[in-house]
């Protein structure tokens, strides 16, 4: 039986063995652990309705080590697809039949499409980043000089790899632990024959400040900003109005410090909600083809944000 509200039902792994009959039938899901906070149903269910698809999207809590079994159960229950979130993106890579080349390159699967019982794994992190930058700022990542704060983490690596694959030729990789950047540098250089201006620095304010005049797009891929008390990532008054600021963090309680700094500088900005929207749209397209109903998804997400 659903444990939460009907608009976004929540199930446990054990319930996958004998999934309850819902109206509309459950055909899509997001898995993670924890998962009860996920806003994905509030984005995908309006999209399904807008397209007249007789299906609903649910949340399922799946423990570590159970992803492959969960995928088999989803397939047996007639599901069409699944989104995969923390901590399962790496386990999912080994739990599908066919890994999309980009997902292989990014080292993680966050979208499953089930077609004729076969499991196809995709990654929407990188493409979602490119699309959301284009929508938010009207420019292509390839034409920008990009600073990635937290490039040594999983999200930062995905942004860096996708940026180079998309043709970006100026990247500054910043990480609190700078030594984590060496393998990424080698990997990025192997992705293209073109000359790429790759630099690294720490997250020290002085180091970042010395580079900002040569940067167009600043991406926060660290987890800094999730908590209100987090220290500022950038030195005070270091942003200019020409900067584009992309904070992958979304904080329901209000704008992050980075977004507040961007606003104060008159700089354009986007946050993690924008990424979630475009990742969701790309998943939807893997499942159903064509273009996703972006406005229905956006309104669903905004409503979910207002009610959280
Ligand atoms: P994800 O896969 O979601 O990106 P992750 O791999 O744990 O998560 O990466 C988190 C990123 O945030 C890393 O770049 C991490 O820096 P370190 O590599 O030095 O650990 C960064 N990060 C987390 N907390 C931070 C903090 N308080 N200050 C600066 N960077 C931080």
């Amino acid at each position: 039986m659903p444990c939460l509200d009907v608009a976004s039902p929540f199930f446990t792994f054990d319930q996958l063995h004998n999934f309850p009959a819902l109206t509309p039938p459950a055909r899509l899901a997001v898995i993670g652990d924890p998962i009860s906070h996920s806003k994905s149903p509030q984005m995908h269910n309006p999209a399904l309705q807008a397209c007249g698809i007789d299906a609903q999207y649910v949340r399922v809590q799946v423990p570590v080590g159970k992803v492959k079994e969960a995928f088999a159960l989803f397939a047996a229950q007639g599901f069409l697809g699944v989104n995969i979130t923390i901590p399962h993106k790496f386990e999912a890579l080994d739990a599908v039949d066919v890994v999309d080349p980009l997902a292989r390159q990014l080292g993680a699967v966050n979208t499953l499409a089930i077609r004729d019982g076969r499991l196809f794994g995709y990654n929407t992190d990188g493409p979602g980043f490119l699309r959301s930058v284009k929508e938010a700022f009207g420019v292509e990542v390839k034409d920008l000089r990009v600073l990635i704060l937290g490039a040594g983490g999983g999200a930062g690596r995905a942004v860096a790899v996708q940026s180079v694959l998309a043709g970006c030729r100026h990247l500054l990789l910043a990480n609190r632990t700078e030594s984590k950047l060496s393998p990424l540098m080698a990997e990025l250089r192997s992705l293209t024959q073109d000359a790429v201006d790759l630099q690294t620095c720490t997250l020290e304010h002085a180091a970042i400040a010395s580079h900002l005049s040569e940067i167009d797009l600043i991406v926060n891929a660290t987890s800094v900003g999730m908590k209100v008390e987090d220290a500022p990532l950038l030195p005070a008054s270091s942003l200019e109005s020409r900067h584009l600021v992309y904070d992958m963090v979304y904080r329901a309680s209000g704008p992050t410090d980075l977004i507040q700094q961007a606003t104060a500088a008159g700089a354009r900005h986007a946050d993690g909600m924008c990424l979630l929207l475009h990742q969701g749209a790309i998943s939807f397209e893997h499942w159903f083809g064509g273009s996703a109903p972006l406005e229905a998804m956006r309104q669903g997400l905004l409503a979910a944000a207002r009610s959280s």
Side-chain angles (χ1 to χ4, degrees):
M1 290 294 290
C3 303
L4 293 182
D5 57 304
V6 178
S8 53
F10 169 80
F11 300 89
T12 64
F13 173 75
D14 287 340
Q15 288 174 292
L16 276 181
H17 289 94
N18 188 14
F19 207 80
L22 304 179
T23 307
R27 291 287 174 261
L28 298 166
V30 58
I31 65 166
D33 193 9
I35 198 60
S36 56
H37 64 285
S38 171
K39 295 195 190 328
S40 292
Q42 287 101 315
M43 169 171 59
H44 281 291
N45 281 324
L48 291 166
Q49 278 171 12
C51 295
I53 298 170
D54 186 34
Q56 70 171 293
Y57 184 111
V58 299
R59 295 173 289 184
V60 182
Q61 187 164 6
V62 172
V64 168
K66 294 284 187 188
V67 171
K68 198 176 175 82
E69 196 178 333
F71 285 176
L73 291 167
F74 280 119
Q77 306 276 351
F79 275 67
L80 303 170
V82 176
N83 286 130
I84 299 108
T85 187
I86 295 168
H88 298 320
K89 288 184 189 182
F90 307 106
E91 197 179 328
L93 190 69
D94 295 322
V96 297
D97 300 318
V98 182
V99 180
D100 178 70
L102 180 63
R104 176 78 63 201
Q105 213 146 24
L106 295 177
V109 159
N110 71 354
T111 299
L112 169 73
I114 306 171
R115 302 184 190 115
D116 299 325
R118 301 247 305 153
L119 309 177
F120 294 82
Y122 300 94
N123 187 305
T124 63
D125 288 333
F129 169 70
L130 295 182
R131 270 202 209 178
S132 52
V133 166
K134 175 79 176 153
E135 186 192 61
F137 306 125
V139 284
E140 305 280 356
V141 169
K142 72 177 174 54
D143 298 323
L144 300 172
R145 297 167 298 177
V146 181
L147 162 61
I148 304 173
L149 305 166
R157 179 176 167 272
V159 168
V161 168
Q162 185 69 72
S163 296
V164 169
L165 289 174
C168 174
R169 293 297 169 252
H170 300 275
L171 269 179
L172 172 59
L173 310 173
N175 210 53
R176 177 177 57 180
T177 319
E178 200 176 359
S179 59
K180 283 195 191 169
L181 297 173
S182 305
L184 178 62
M185 292 279 279
E187 185 185 353
L188 294 178
R189 289 199 198 288
S190 75
L191 292 177
T192 174
Q193 305 291 328
D194 298 346
V196 186
D197 172 21
L198 281 182
Q199 297 186 51
T200 66
C201 70
T202 67
L203 282 182
E204 298 288 322
H205 278 189
I208 299 287
S210 69
H211 285 284
L212 282 179
S213 64
E214 306 142 21
I215 293 296
D216 306 307
L217 173 66
I218 299 157
V219 182
N220 174 29
T222 74
S223 47
V224 176
M226 282 180 181
K227 293 187 230 119
V228 177
E229 64 271 20
D230 281 343
L233 274 166
L234 299 182
S237 308
S238 58
L239 287 175
E240 300 166 38
S241 58
R242 66 171 189 84
H243 281 127
L244 308 173
V245 177
Y246 190 112
D247 196 343
M248 295 177 84
V249 169
Y250 168 74
R251 197 169 69 203
S253 61
T256 60
D257 184 86
L258 183 59
I259 296 292
Q260 289 178 43
Q261 274 186 282
T263 306
R268 287 187 288 158
H269 50 82
D271 67 19
M273 184 74 95
C274 188
L275 181 61
L276 183 60
L277 172 68
H278 287 278
Q279 285 181 312
I282 294 167
S283 290
F284 200 90
E285 291 163 13
H286 282 308
W287 298 326
F288 299 109
S291 300
L294 201 62
E295 282 318 305
M297 299 174 92
R298 192 193 314 272
Q299 292 313 318
L301 265 184
L302 288 173
R306 278 194 297 271
S307 66
S308 62

